[in-house]
Amino acid sequence: MGIAEWREQLRRGEVSARELTDLHLARIGAVEPAIHAYLEVTTERARADADRIDRARAAGESLPPLAGVPLAIKDNLCTKGIRTTCSSRMLENFVPPYESTVTDRLWRAGAVLLGKTNLDEFAMGSSTETSAFGPSRNPWNPERVPGGSSGGSAAAVAAGECVAALGSDTGGSIRQPAAFCGVVGLKPTYGRVSRYGLVAFASSLDQVGPFTGSVADAAELLQVISGADSRDATCLQAPVPDYRAALQQPVAGLKVGLIRECFEAPGLDPQVKASVLAAAEQLQSLGCELVELSCPRFNDGIATYYVIAPSEASANLARYDGVKYGYRSEASGSLAEMTARSRAEGFGDEVQRRILIGTYALSAGYVDAYYKKAQQVRSLIRRDFERAFASVDVLLTPTSPSTAFRFGAHSEDPLAMYLADLLTIPANMAGLPAISVPCGFDQQGLPIGVQLITGVLQEELLLQVAHQYEQAAQVMLRRPAAELVP
Ligand code: GLN
């Protein structure tokens, strides 16, 4: 059931918010041992949220747009009074004294908090394997990763453990796990959504967005979380259009660009390629014109990202010094030793690797060779997109070169893991909105995602094309539900 349908049933009194919440809590109880999507389930809070909605309805009050919708929140978004760990020992016991803007807007819109979801530590990874609290599993096949870094949120939606979830996307962390888990994942335009209360990874790239079972539900969540925020200076002032209204517009006559470099990408699984090309043909049958084009700098995104993102991360993570908050080593010694030990014990390997790379790239003598160069290539990637959007309305690529891989498949080789983001990173580099929509399955029954990208602040067009495709293709009539519960 979609959010719009749910809203109508709740309004008519056919079902209560408490029933919907309890249904999801029961589902969590049944499948969490196999999936581990959540780090914490906030049962009492969820029931209290739901009961409040039911009382408001009984009293005849008008209900807000997400009244009674049970949500899961990635555990790098601050929730007041509820632990926010970033899947790190460093923040294992951190209870934020404030609420992030996005979650605050969701609760004001009547949504119910079910719990906080697992992620790669500090959102650094593509599989949830770097979580200090153990990985999440893919509901389609528990021997496979759910993707990452927002793997817990993607798995929770796919396994029916919530109606929708929030994640964050710095280089693909919403779209890639959405593709791996067969759900919809949307990264908005940089600045469309406030970052206040999102624990910072790479501030020029980070953006919060929804995971949902349908494009229409993604529009519902984006509607609520978007818009200016005086507490985030990078948040755009642009008015928020009616995203739900945009869905129904026909797509005939639109030009869809297929980026040649993406379909020739190294390591692109032929089954993924075929499925994504079939999605393009589906759009063609709806009246879109397919245009092949070239973005020569697209495949440089990954090298650029792995200079810029660790550089920004090294600066952002300097705040974890064992003094102000977070983990503090018990070992005795000088202040400098205490800080060094706290960081060595509190951060996992991948986070330490990123801090080292970033500190190196920013150090005197190297900053021009690495960081500045990367920023220049970033401008070239942005220019590639500008040129592409001069001739097409929307770009179409695979979301990920492969379907969900096995646990440990890339653990010996961080570079192989980094390649999982090849096709998602360019949109972050240029600050563009992009969405992953399920488009098929491989021979092993693992979901495949198609990525659509539009120009800055063109979320309406993005959602419209994604929705029309989804309605025509009807890919997700299959759900992983049944196989899950032993
Ligand atoms: N997988 C990428 C990384 O490891 C992207 C992460 C993200 O988008 N947060 O950095």
Side-chain angles (χ1 to χ4, degrees):
M1 178 168 55
I3 291 173
E5 227 177 299
W6 153 253
R7 194 159 43 222
E8 278 318 302
Q9 292 198 14
L10 178 71
R11 218 163 260 162
R12 289 197 297 265
E14 291 164 11
V15 57
S16 70
R18 180 60 184 266
E19 279 174 281
L20 190 69
T21 288
D22 281 343
L23 195 80
H24 284 89
L25 288 171
R27 179 83 183 147
I28 289 170
V31 305
E32 265 308 274
I35 303 299
H36 189 231
Y38 286 89
L39 294 176
E40 182 169 350
V41 179
T42 52
T43 307
E44 298 311 311
R45 154 85 186 257
R47 293 197 167 126
D49 285 352
D51 288 346
R52 200 170 327 110
I53 294 294
D54 287 333
R55 280 198 301 275
R57 200 197 72 83
E61 293 170 25
S62 72
L63 296 175
L66 298 180
V69 176
L71 301 181
I73 304 293
K74 185 176 183 180
D75 206 25
N76 62 352
L77 282 160
C78 287
T79 39
K80 188 175 178 179
I82 295 167
R83 266 189 330 150
T84 299
T85 67
C86 287
S87 289
S88 180
R89 294 271 169 234
M90 186 55 88
L91 290 177
E92 190 167 6
N93 298 307
F94 174 59
V95 179
Y98 66 103
E99 189 77 25
S100 81
T101 295
V102 281
T103 49
D104 184 56
R105 286 181 179 170
L106 291 172
W107 315 143
R108 283 174 201 274
V112 170
L113 173 65
L114 284 174
K116 304 293 294 287
T117 54
N118 196 18
L119 61 145
D120 283 290
E121 186 177 4
F122 281 99
M124 297 173 187
S126 304
S127 64
T128 73
E129 289 170 292
T130 72
S131 168
F133 309 121
S136 301
R137 297 185 172 273
N138 192 314
W140 293 91
N141 180 344
E143 282 161 24
R144 305 280 175 150
V145 302
S149 63
S150 320
S153 288
V157 173
E161 297 181 82
C162 59
V163 166
L166 285 189
S168 65
D169 191 313
T170 305
S173 277
I174 292 175
R175 290 158 287 156
Q176 184 257 22
F180 279 15
C181 290
V183 299
V184 173
L186 169 66
K187 180 199 93 71
T189 301
Y190 182 78
R192 174 73 295 184
V193 174
S194 169
R195 289 184 296 113
Y196 178 77
L198 168 69
V199 179
F201 166 8
S203 306
S204 76
L205 302 162
D206 297 342
Q207 193 63 190
V208 176
F211 286 94
T212 53
S214 69
V215 177
D217 281 2
E220 295 277 353
L221 262 70
L222 185 65
Q223 196 74 49
V224 169
I225 63 175
S226 294
D229 179 9
S230 58
R231 294 196 265 202
D232 173 3
T234 62
C235 196
L236 300 169
Q237 298 290 329
V240 179
D242 186 343
Y243 293 122
R244 287 166 297 198
L247 299 176
Q248 304 310 332
Q249 305 300 317
V251 294
L254 291 178
K255 288 192 176 147
V256 177
L258 306 189
I259 303 174
R260 193 174 307 130
E261 287 77 8
C262 294
F263 290 93
E264 289 162 5
L268 178 62
D269 177 337
Q271 294 182 73
V272 170
K273 182 175 178 176
S275 176
V276 170
L277 287 174
E281 278 161 23
Q282 180 85 58
L283 282 171
Q284 191 176 33
S285 73
L286 294 174
C288 293
E289 184 188 333
L290 302 186
V291 181
E292 200 184 297
L293 49 81
S294 169
C295 287
R297 290 293 174 183
F298 208 87
N299 290 348
D300 293 337
I302 214 140
T304 314
Y305 174 89
Y306 279 98
V307 174
I308 292 174
S311 295
E312 294 185 12
S314 72
N316 275 325
L317 271 59
R319 72 191 63 171
Y320 305 101
D321 55 8
V323 177
K324 292 188 286 293
Y325 46 72
Y327 176 82
R328 178 182 296 176
S329 172
E330 298 294 332
S332 57
S334 68
L335 180 63
E337 276 163 16
M338 186 280 289
T339 294
R341 278 175 179 275
S342 297
R343 290 166 69 79
E345 293 165 17
F347 290 134
D349 289 349
E350 184 61 27
V351 174
Q352 294 195 36
R353 179 167 23 240
R354 306 272 179 124
I355 292 172
L356 287 171
I357 294 171
T359 306
Y360 183 82
L362 290 178
S363 56
Y366 293 114
V367 66
D368 285 349
Y370 296 117
Y371 186 70
K372 196 172 156 211
K373 262 290 172 267
Q375 291 292 14
Q376 288 167 339
V377 179
R378 183 175 185 174
S379 297
L380 295 178
I381 293 170
R382 190 175 292 144
R383 239 172 268 163
D384 266 6
F385 277 117
E386 281 164 13
R387 216 172 297 123
F389 286 124
S391 58
V392 299
D393 300 291
V394 50
L395 293 167
L396 181 148
T397 79
T399 303
S400 167
S402 74
T403 53
F405 45 85
R406 286 180 195 283
F407 289 94
H410 301 319
S411 52
E412 298 307 312
D413 183 2
L415 287 180
M417 183 75 91
Y418 295 174
L419 271 179
D421 309 316
L422 181 69
L423 303 167
T424 46
I425 280 175
N428 300 78
M429 287 294 160
L432 302 175
I435 193 168
S436 179
V437 183
C439 67
F441 295 85
D442 70 6
Q443 278 158 10
Q444 291 156 83
L446 296 167
I448 300 171
V450 56
Q451 173 177 237
L452 299 167
I453 310 170
T454 56
V456 165
L457 287 178
Q458 293 193 349
E459 277 83 357
E460 284 170 283
L461 177 63
L462 186 69
L463 290 162
Q464 171 197 348
V465 178
H467 176 75
Q468 295 296 327
Y469 164 73
E470 175 193 59
Q471 294 304 303
Q474 294 286 319
V475 170
M476 289 315 293
L477 295 178
R478 251 202 284 171
R479 286 271 149 201
E483 308 93 87
L484 267 180
V485 195

